[in-house]
Amino acid sequence: MSDYAKALGARLRAIRTQQGLSLHGVEEKSHGRWKAVVVGSYERGDRAVTVQRLSELAEFYGVPVGELLPEGSTVAPLEQSPRIVLDLERLSQVPKEQGGPLARYAATIQSQRGDYNGRVLSIRYEDLRSLAVIYDTSPSKLTEQLVSWGVLSPEAGQEATPSDV
């Protein structure tokens, strides 16, 4: 068992206990998705956790993946974040029930930037992740929805979701 696996396990245990969950509580809250014995083995460092599973655990706990990594660990930033450009004219044509949260978010960014050209708005991938939380979906699913609304070009949509981590 490596020191890193032990440190990762300690972070996992700390997050779980901060949320007032026992190992069995995790299993119950996840409706069996996360077995107590598996989570316990991750926490002891007895079992390797894949990046995918770590991401899923972070989502379950409601924390960024980086919070699960041991102290001193860094997540390498993307070399170049993809440019995500929203078509605000098309957004104005999306029914409010669907596009309302995105329109309010875009208006807030425009206000903060003093950018009122009204035609397009560039957002960061982190904004897309925040919007996905608002829409209760993943960034990739939200990207598909934005493409279907015509708010995001299909080409940009392919670049917009490097991962859902």
Side-chain angles (χ1 to χ4, degrees), residues 77-78 81-82 84 105 109 123-133 139 160 162 165:
L78 295 174
S81 292
I84 304 168
Y105 196 92
I109 291 174
I123 63 171
R124 303 169 313 202
Y125 181 71
E126 291 77 23
D127 293 318
L128 184 68
R129 289 177 55 171
S130 297
L131 284 163
V133 170
V165 176

Side-chain angles (χ1 to χ4, degrees), residues 32-81:
R33 165 96 171 81
W34 295 102
K35 301 293 184 205
V37 68
V38 172
V39 174
S41 65
Y42 291 155
E43 290 180 1
R44 289 187 305 277
D46 294 341
R47 185 177 190 160
V49 59
T50 65
V51 172
Q52 177 67 35
R53 296 289 282 173
L54 192 63
S55 172
E56 292 168 2
L57 257 179
E59 185 176 331
F60 172 75
Y61 288 135
V63 300
V65 173
E67 288 297 314
L68 298 181
L69 300 177
E71 291 294 320
S73 296
T74 58
V75 178
L78 295 174
E79 288 183 17
Q80 177 66 33
S81 292

